[in-house]
Amino acid sequence: MTALDGRGIAEGSTSDTFRILHVSTGNVCRSPITERLTRHALSDRLGDPLTRGLVVESAGTWGHEGAPMEANAAAVLADFGADAAGFTGRELLDEHVIRADLVLTATRDHRAQVISMGHSAGLRTFTLKEFTRLVRAIDPATLPDPLQDGVVERARALVRAAAALRGWLLAPSVEADEVYDPYGAPITFFRSIGDEINTALDPVVTALTGTPART
């Protein structure tokens, strides 16, 4: 398997691949941070995610096609030891949603926009924080074993389980499911958003891989 052009973790046939799509507005701040932190965390857990069929991508509902990542976003990634190299922004297209097995958005508005595109996206589209909340409620023992059944099958089962729980575990407030836009803000706010995203991603990556973060 080979890495996708500066973006994905791995590429393979549809049956052997699980694609995670992160969505924000411009695809230069929040979704690039989330994409690259996800890739970094998967590498930490799996050692060599290229062999596991996991693809991590991002796009923006008003994506700055071809634009570089914001400098403060790249600085946040460097704080976590994650790689910002080779990133270019892109606008969210139907094909991105069609191919995605899991869509994680920065806000509820982004989630609504993705679902409005159709393609049966409703059952696999969540805000990042919503998905984190649902994942925490899923017993990992009910998911396929990542060693015996593979990470892809485990990831697919996780999305199905999260979708089944959505109507039962509501957010305590509207703000609870939002990751606010740091565009144009100072580096201190970018770092707070980076911490927020990283905290939300940790249980998600643990559930996907069956492996906790290294201490």
Side-chain angles (χ1 to χ4, degrees):
M1 295 181 183
T2 57
L4 290 171
D5 184 18
R7 184 172 297 278
I9 282 184
E11 184 171 6
S13 66
T14 302
S15 61
D16 297 330
T17 300
F18 184 89
R19 290 179 177 271
I20 303 170
L21 176 66
H22 294 294
V23 175
S24 63
T25 303
N27 194 215
V28 291
C29 297
R30 288 169 291 181
S31 51
I33 291 173
T34 316
E35 173 195 320
R36 294 306 174 92
L37 285 180
T38 303
R39 292 174 62 173
H40 181 68
L42 287 172
S43 295
D44 178 69
R45 313 297 172 92
L46 301 177
D48 182 11
L50 289 173
T51 64
R52 304 299 184 95
L54 299 176
V55 178
V56 183
E57 304 175 294
S58 65
T61 55
W62 290 88
H64 299 186
E65 190 72 31
M69 187 186 306
E70 281 289 297
N72 282 347
V76 167
L77 291 175
D79 291 342
F80 287 100
D83 186 9
F87 182 88
T88 55
R90 64 181 187 173
E91 184 175 355
L92 181 67
L93 302 176
D94 289 81
E95 65 188 67
H96 303 144
V97 177
I98 291 168
R99 295 192 304 170
D101 297 287
L102 171 63
V103 184
L104 296 176
T105 69
T107 70
R108 293 152 59 102
D109 282 347
H110 295 133
R111 182 185 64 192
Q113 288 180 67
V114 172
I115 293 173
S116 73
M117 295 171 72
H119 315 302
S120 303
L123 292 177
R124 50 196 166 89
T125 302
F126 310 80
T127 72
L128 171 62
K129 288 185 175 180
E130 174 191 20
F131 195 65
T132 300
R133 182 175 67 254
L134 297 172
V135 160
R136 288 183 183 276
I138 296 169
D139 182 356
T142 65
L143 299 173
D145 186 291
L147 296 178
Q148 294 184 2
D149 304 300
V151 174
V152 168
E153 286 306 311
R154 182 183 179 92
R156 289 175 178 158
L158 183 68
V159 173
R160 291 194 297 269
L165 283 174
R166 179 149 41 193
W168 298 93
L169 292 176
L170 302 179
S173 67
V174 172
E175 293 78 14
D177 281 344
E178 306 287 291
V179 176
Y180 291 106
D181 193 355
Y183 185 77
I187 185 63
T188 50
F189 188 63
F190 267 84
R191 287 195 166 114
S192 70
I193 292 299
D195 289 339
E196 198 173 312
I197 291 170
N198 190 62
T199 298
L201 279 175
D202 180 70
V204 170
V205 176
T206 297
L208 283 170
T209 64
T211 305
R214 299 178 185 180
T215 56

